[in-house]
Amino acid sequence: MLLFSLALLPVSVLIFYLQKKKNNREHFLPVIFAGLFTGIIFLAFKILFSSSYYLPDANFGINFLYYFITQTFLPVLVIYGLFFLLTRKDSLDARTSYFFPLLASFYSAYNLYLIIEIDKPYSAFHIFIKPMLYLAMLIFIHVLLNKLSAVKLNSSQTALNILVFLTALCFPAFIESLWICGVNFFVWFVPAGLFLILTALIIWPKSSITE
């Protein structure tokens, strides 16, 4: 079962790469390797130089802030933000198309640390639900960024899309915090399931993520 958690993101990156046209694949290889290398460096640093692990709190707010800041906000902001600046010579369309392969490659390695941090025995939530939520988050934001780069928005539309972006970014931490606090199963499972279904509908039948 643990294999599912470890393989989901790497397989998703591979599918993304293979669905690209052959003459366009080479542009994404450096992006994929950059994300994977960053994730490996981070993983090695945490294993070799950090012996502290987060112990979940009974407080929803504390858990949410920890998971949101350390597991989504900072990785996305720092890694994609820096890569976005470093590739400023590329077009905006190209830089937005780097989001999924870069971050999914990073999380492919970073996910190992997230598993190490969990007390055994592993729960079904951490093996199945959490990696699917992170994958859905990356796909949702990737599609959103690529759609936004193709159109001109007014101020109200921009504000709305920023809100949607932040909501998607918060969602995995929100669901995990609910689960840790032991709320009713349906309170966290229903919104998690709806988010996964929504993301699947966005990329089905035509895979928007590979455009």
Side-chain angles (χ1 to χ4, degrees):
M1 290 191 298
L2 193 59
L3 180 63
F4 176 86
S5 178
L6 296 174
L8 181 63
L9 285 163
V11 170
S12 301
V13 175
L14 181 61
I15 292 172
F16 173 91
Y17 176 75
L18 293 177
Q19 288 189 346
K20 288 292 181 182
K21 295 179 180 179
K22 289 186 176 181
N23 61 352
N24 196 31
R25 290 177 184 173
E26 61 183 27
H27 300 295
F28 290 94
L29 275 179
V31 181
I32 292 170
F33 282 121
L36 186 61
F37 179 75
T38 306
I40 291 172
I41 292 297
F42 182 86
L43 175 65
F45 177 83
K46 295 295 289 187
I47 292 175
L48 295 174
F49 301 106
S50 176
S51 58
S52 61
Y53 297 105
Y54 177 72
L55 296 176
D57 195 275
N59 185 288
F60 170 85
I62 293 175
N63 291 325
F64 172 77
L65 287 175
Y66 173 81
Y67 291 123
F68 173 63
I69 293 173
T70 64
Q71 297 185 8
T72 53
F73 182 74
L74 286 179
V76 171
L77 178 68
V78 174
I79 297 169
Y80 182 66
L82 286 175
F83 199 82
F84 191 88
L85 293 174
L86 291 173
T87 57
R88 58 185 177 275
K89 291 183 179 180
D90 295 346
S91 67
L92 180 60
D93 288 345
R95 288 186 288 172
T96 54
S97 70
Y98 297 154
F99 181 87
F100 180 82
L102 179 71
L103 271 300
S105 299
F106 169 81
Y107 278 106
S108 295
Y110 182 55
N111 188 47
L112 292 174
Y113 171 73
L114 299 183
I115 292 173
I116 292 171
E117 192 180 35
I118 301 169
D119 290 332
K120 299 179 182 66
Y122 301 118
S123 68
F125 179 90
H126 287 114
I127 294 176
F128 296 107
I129 304 299
K130 184 169 182 175
M132 287 194 294
L133 286 174
Y134 274 82
L135 176 61
M137 175 195 72
L138 295 176
I139 292 174
F140 188 94
I141 295 176
H142 177 88
V143 173
L144 177 65
L145 290 176
N146 281 270
K147 296 297 183 184
L148 293 180
S149 68
V151 297
K152 292 183 178 180
L153 302 176
N154 57 40
S155 57
S156 60
Q157 291 174 319
T158 300
L160 177 61
N161 281 282
I162 290 174
L163 179 61
V164 173
F165 174 88
L166 291 175
T167 300
L169 200 62
C170 290
F171 204 77
F174 175 76
I175 295 297
E176 185 167 9
S177 299
L178 288 176
W179 175 79
I180 286 175
C181 289
V183 299
N184 183 279
F185 173 80
F186 293 101
V187 173
W188 66 263
F189 184 78
V190 171
L194 290 175
F195 182 61
L196 295 176
I197 292 171
L198 174 62
T199 304
L201 291 175
I202 288 174
I203 62 172
W204 184 270
K206 183 177 180 180
S207 182
S208 300
I209 193 173
T210 58
E211 292 180 349

